[in-house]
Amino acid sequence: MSVQVVSAAATAKVPEVELKDLSPSEAERQLGLSTAAVGAMVPPAGGGDPEAPAPAAERPPAPGPGSGPMAALSPAAGKVPQASAMKRSDPHHQHQRHRDGGEALVSPDGTVTEAPRTVKKQIQFADQKQEFNKRPTKIGRRSLSRSISQSSTDSYSSAASYTDSSDDETSPRDKQQKNSKGSSDFCVKNIKQAEFGRREIEIAEQEMPALMALRKRAQGEKPLAGAKIVGCTHITAQTAACLSPHSLTQVLMETLGALGAQCRWAACNIYSTLNEVAAALAESGFPVFAWKGESEDDFWWCIDRCVNVEGWQPNMILDDGGDLTHWIYKKYPNMFKKIKGIVEESVTGVHRLYQLSKAGKLCVPAMNVNDSVTKQKFDNLYCCRESILDGLKRTTDMMFGGKQVVVCGYGEVGKGCCAALKAMGSIVYVTEIDPICALQACMDGFRLVKLNEVIRQVDIVITCTGNKNVVTREHLDRMKNSCIVCNMGHSNTEIDVASLRTPELTWERVRSQVDHVIWPDGKRIVLLAEGRLLNLSCSTVPTFVLSITATTQALALIELYNAPEGRYKQDVYLLPKKMDEYVASLHLPTFDAHLTELTDEQAKYLGLNKNGPFKPNYYRY
């Protein structure tokens, strides 16, 4: 049975933009410019108009001494300047127009002389009028090109107090919204943005071959029929090829729905939600509770709305970071009587599960997706190898060549970050507690150090451990001026940001997700995403890589939900090797890759099944 994907996107009607010239006084008022600044922006007199003269009704008044008309873009009103030449008047020579359309120069003694005629050429754009009419009138502080849609090209996620002025400042919790089907069982920023999100989802499906193949192969069997899955994962912005990992979450949810499951969803990161795709989820009928820039209170409120709903009892948990699992244990422990299993995909969340298991408090089976080979190698290593540079570039516009960087942790995430920075010409140091990972760092050409040894000299500090207080206030006090500090580990506890929120330090917002923290002596550090995950808060991650993770999650849910009684105890399990290999095989056709098959003789010699698994569980890839 094949799955037909029907496009629901339609061309959006966007209000026209009013075209209007502003006088210098108006420009000063709307742009906050001085008269001198306005004059400096206007080109000198004598240049010809690049366009034909405007009609008399639209023509600006003749300039007087010391002033001149200029077309200005008003951030408040969102107006586009006319494409006409801007002239500055001269107190000694004023421009006048002849009756025949030419220009004349008027000297101080009143003599009128004809100015040299210039050939006027009009720049023609295809569908120029229509393109201008498509532009929105309300853009707030956002640039015009970025305001046409709240799309995945908007790479910056912002905190609650720094949300875009173009958005309604009313909290989504205070809004009464309904989708086209009349349902209000969701909470997103703006349900009207659903159409933009749907367009991204349709493109994202093309970059998720395994998930789509899984949907097609298993849809008829409905292996998740009766499953009620509550999820808390990243809902993130992405611009590569106009794709969104939130779109990936959407396609994952639609796939789970196609396999028979009911889903309720929240975001595991307060900065990483893409509003328009959250709206697309809600419009599709999925109860989703997430928006960009949630407060801590909003974050837990959204999780509670997913879990605590009358007449709906979850029987599966899909978590990223362990916050959802923690909330159910804390508030609704009786729910675990009907929950069949937990699927967890992060270092931090898996660590919490092992702690619960060790303490004898884990009352359901759990699947450790984070340590599956496909997750470790592709999401952690290859994804971070690309996204670390993207996040740093978008937030700081820096060059990497010659910069001294210390990467804390040489696990898969640290390996990916170090490889990317080394390739760009950076001088990379590594800190590590594990002697095996430390030896790998040395063999890969990195100098192994303690953070205290290099903290005064490095230009960038990157944490990749999943631990807490890796960078302490003492380290922060000793950093050089303008040192960049960021986190690539899952938890926001790696950098002691709380210690920086003291009266003697000044916080200065530079741009979305970029803060200067200024010491009394004037020294400042550049803190990215307030110590939260850099690549999912400030940049993009490749959708293809996350497709691997999503497919792994779906298979883990199917395995736990359909496992016979007694197969899995109240413990933490790794994804079976056969499933790991299956996830990889589903992605190979994208590269036109062809696997070699074992002969019967070769399979017998190695003692393997011809169809796998091909490596023992102890094999290190």
Side-chain angles (χ1 to χ4, degrees):
M1 179 182 294
S2 61
V3 178
Q4 182 178 6
V5 180
V6 181
S7 171
T11 304
K13 295 182 179 179
V14 187
E16 295 185 0
V17 174
E18 180 183 356
L19 302 181
K20 181 181 177 182
D21 281 352
L22 302 181
S23 66
S25 59
E26 291 172 318
E28 289 176 37
R29 174 173 55 81
Q30 296 194 27
L31 293 177
L33 301 175
S34 64
T35 303
V38 173
M41 293 172 63
V42 184
D49 267 349
E51 283 199 2
E58 299 179 7
R59 191 175 301 154
S67 65
M70 66 172 290
L73 176 62
S74 166
K79 297 174 183 175
V80 183
Q82 279 187 310
S84 59
M86 297 178 288
K87 298 181 176 62
R88 182 175 61 189
S89 63
D90 189 315
H92 301 293
H93 291 86
Q94 296 182 3
H95 285 72
Q96 293 182 351
R97 290 190 178 273
H98 279 185
R99 285 190 299 268
D100 61 359
E103 289 192 351
L105 295 178
V106 183
S107 61
D109 60 3
T111 305
V112 179
T113 58
E114 185 175 354
R117 292 181 179 270
T118 57
V119 179
K120 300 179 180 180
K121 296 181 179 179
Q122 185 171 0
I123 302 174
Q124 296 290 341
F125 297 97
D127 299 327
Q128 185 181 43
K129 184 175 185 297
Q130 289 80 355
E131 288 300 317
F132 270 79
N133 286 343
K134 290 180 182 178
R135 305 201 180 217
T137 59
K138 185 178 180 182
I139 62 174
R141 291 188 297 268
R142 298 163 65 91
S143 66
L144 184 64
S145 62
R146 293 169 63 82
S147 63
I148 294 177
S149 74
Q150 304 287 328
S151 69
S152 60
T153 55
D154 188 0
S155 62
Y156 302 121
S157 305
S158 48
S161 58
Y162 299 102
T163 51
D164 297 325
S165 62
S166 59
D167 291 331
D168 184 0
E169 297 299 334
T170 305
S171 170
R173 292 168 62 173
D174 299 329
K175 294 180 180 179
Q176 297 294 326
Q177 300 185 81
K178 291 185 178 181
N179 62 16
S180 61
K181 302 176 182 65
S183 173
S184 59
D185 188 17
F186 63 87
C187 190
V188 298
K189 187 69 175 180
N190 187 353
I191 188 64
K192 295 180 181 178
Q193 295 178 335
E195 187 175 332
F196 294 115
R198 172 53 58 182
R199 294 173 186 174
E200 294 186 13
I201 292 163
E202 290 165 356
I203 301 175
E205 289 175 337
Q206 303 171 24
E207 192 70 1
M208 288 180 276
L211 207 57
M212 301 306 293
L214 181 64
R215 182 192 299 185
K216 183 177 180 179
R217 294 183 186 186
Q219 182 168 298
E221 302 174 8
K222 301 288 184 184
L224 290 176
K228 295 182 178 180
I229 304 171
V230 59
C232 183
T233 63
H234 280 289
I235 300 174
T236 55
Q238 144 103 355
T239 58
C242 299
L243 302 181
S244 165
H246 188 162
S247 302
L248 182 142
T249 303
Q250 165 80 9
V251 179
L252 171 61
M253 290 179 67
E254 289 184 346
T255 300
L256 297 176
L259 302 183
Q262 298 178 30
C263 300
R264 296 180 69 85
W265 228 262
C268 71
N269 188 298
I270 65 175
Y271 293 154
S272 62
T273 298
L274 186 60
N275 288 328
E276 59 267 29
V277 191
L281 275 167
E283 177 59 32
S284 298
F286 290 103
V288 57
F289 302 86
W291 61 91
K292 181 173 69 176
E294 298 170 6
S295 66
E296 290 290 337
D297 181 65
D298 292 333
F299 173 77
W300 294 112
W301 179 88
C302 288
I303 289 179
D304 192 71
R305 283 294 304 273
C306 281
V307 176
N308 184 22
V309 55
E310 186 177 353
W312 197 85
Q313 158 73 49
N315 53 26
M316 293 295 295
I317 296 174
L318 178 56
D319 208 354
D320 186 336
D323 290 321
L324 172 60
T325 304
H326 166 77
W327 187 256
I328 296 177
Y329 264 105
K330 179 181 177 181
K331 296 289 186 179
Y332 312 103
N334 289 333
M335 283 189 175
F336 281 103
K337 294 178 180 179
K338 294 186 178 181
I339 291 176
K340 290 189 173 184
I342 302 169
V343 175
E344 172 59 56
E345 69 157 328
S346 75
V347 173
T348 305
V350 166
H351 178 64
R352 289 178 173 182
L353 288 174
Y354 280 119
Q355 285 181 323
L356 287 172
S357 178
K358 187 176 181 179
K361 296 180 180 180
L362 185 63
C363 50
V364 295
M367 193 72 77
N368 172 6
V369 170
N370 178 74
D371 290 315
S372 63
V373 177
T374 45
K375 170 66 165 63
Q376 279 282 339
K377 291 295 179 182
F378 298 97
D379 195 346
N380 292 7
L381 175 61
Y382 298 121
C383 175
C384 292
R385 190 174 67 184
E386 296 192 21
S387 60
I388 178 62
L389 301 181
D390 192 14
L392 288 171
K393 277 286 189 184
R394 288 171 189 267
T395 50
T396 66
D397 303 314
M398 66 178 299
M399 284 193 68
F400 299 103
K403 292 293 191 302
Q404 297 192 59
V405 186
V406 59
V407 176
C408 302
Y410 202 67
E412 299 297 340
V413 173
K415 288 180 175 71
C417 292
C418 288
L421 291 162
K422 181 180 180 180
M424 297 301 291
S426 298
I427 302 165
V428 183
Y429 305 97
V430 172
T431 71
E432 182 54 69
I433 61 170
D434 186 329
I436 296 177
C437 292
L439 184 58
Q440 285 182 307
C442 294
M443 295 295 288
D444 289 338
F446 302 109
R447 182 182 169 191
L448 190 73
V449 299
K450 292 183 177 180
L451 187 57
N452 285 331
E453 297 172 356
V454 295
I455 196 62
R456 290 187 181 275
Q457 69 191 60
V458 293
D459 302 294
I460 310 172
V461 178
I462 305 171
T463 56
C464 307
T465 69
N467 204 342
K468 66 180 295 185
N469 293 334
V470 178
V471 177
T472 65
R473 176 61 188 268
E474 180 184 356
H475 294 128
L476 295 162
D477 286 337
R478 296 176 59 203
M479 287 177 183
K480 65 189 290 187
N481 185 49
S482 298
C483 181
I484 298 168
V485 186
C486 62
N487 172 36
M488 284 290 288
H490 179 272
S491 176
N492 65 333
T493 59
E494 300 202 33
I495 302 167
D496 188 8
V497 176
S499 69
L500 297 176
R501 301 190 185 277
T502 55
E504 73 271 14
L505 300 182
T506 302
W507 284 61
E508 179 182 82
R509 176 52 55 103
V510 181
R511 59 173 69 162
S512 181
Q513 302 293 19
V514 182
D515 289 290
H516 281 165
V517 183
I518 307 170
W519 270 250
D521 62 358
K523 185 200 87 169
R524 64 183 62 198
I525 65 167
V526 182
L527 180 63
L528 305 183
E530 299 184 27
R532 295 179 183 272
L533 194 56
L534 172 68
N535 57 352
L536 287 171
S537 296
C538 303
S539 63
T540 71
V541 286
T543 302
F544 180 81
V545 170
L546 292 185
S547 170
I548 296 172
T549 300
T551 307
T552 306
Q553 290 171 327
L555 288 173
L557 288 167
I558 293 172
E559 173 66 12
L560 280 180
Y561 184 72
N562 292 283
E565 190 76 24
R567 173 181 292 181
Y568 295 105
K569 309 297 182 182
Q570 296 173 353
D571 205 347
V572 184
Y573 295 85
L574 287 173
L575 194 72
K577 178 76 68 173
K578 183 65 178 175
M579 289 190 182
D580 248 340
E581 293 177 350
Y582 181 61
V583 171
S585 68
L586 289 176
H587 286 84
L588 287 175
T590 302
F591 303 99
D592 192 24
H594 306 276
L595 281 171
T596 300
E597 296 182 8
L598 290 172
T599 64
D600 292 338
E601 182 181 4
Q602 289 173 327
K604 183 178 180 181
Y605 178 79
L606 293 175
L608 298 176
N609 186 309
K610 291 178 63 175
N611 298 317
F614 298 97
K615 298 290 189 295
N617 287 332
Y618 55 79
Y619 182 81
R620 302 288 182 257
Y621 288 85

